[in-house]
Amino acid sequence: MIEAEKVLVECLEILKKKSEDYQNKESRIKQVDYYPRGALSLMEMIHTKTTRLWSLIETDGEPNFEGIEDNAKDLINYATFLILFHRGKIDGQDK
């Protein structure tokens, strides 16, 4: 497995773990509820992660919480959600 594949597997593992927290089977909340403005909400989340990455890259030292790698993986996952939204495949999304 090439290194890029390893990163994508790590992103998938994070995506699965977070979905267990955010879309708990006992909750009425669907994934689409996190994006009230649809693709625009996802783009705002992508913008926020990108801005956070700029801040981390421009700062010396270690962050207290999520670092560059964590935020980059989130960015990959949000880009995946944007593709899924475009395809009409987000849980709870109207067809």
Side-chain angles (χ1 to χ4, degrees):
M1 181 180 316
I2 63 173
E3 198 63 28
E5 288 175 316
K6 290 178 185 175
V7 170
L8 293 174
V9 167
E10 292 169 14
C11 291
L12 182 57
E13 289 170 359
I14 291 168
L15 188 145
K16 287 178 180 179
K17 286 179 182 177
K18 285 188 175 184
S19 71
E20 290 173 5
D21 291 338
Y22 293 122
Q23 283 86 51
N24 186 297
K25 292 176 184 172
E26 297 174 17
S27 175
R28 63 178 173 77
I29 301 297
K30 302 289 185 194
Q31 185 178 5
V32 76
D33 295 327
Y34 291 98
Y35 320 122
R37 295 176 359 119
L40 294 175
S41 292
L42 283 159
M43 287 303 300
E44 288 167 351
M45 296 173 103
I46 289 169
H47 171 76
T48 299
K49 284 294 172 182
T50 303
T51 302
R52 173 73 174 134
L53 281 167
W54 277 112
S55 177
L56 289 167
I57 289 167
E58 292 174 350
T59 304
D60 290 334
E62 289 295 316
N64 291 319
F65 298 104
E66 294 182 341
I68 291 172
E69 199 169 298
D70 300 311
N71 279 274
K73 288 175 183 176
D74 285 344
L75 189 57
I76 290 167
N77 285 339
Y78 282 127
T80 300
F81 294 152
L82 183 59
I83 292 167
L84 292 175
F85 189 88
H86 178 72
R87 293 179 180 179
K89 302 292 184 180
I90 294 286
D91 182 37
Q93 186 176 1
D94 292 332
K95 301 292 180 205

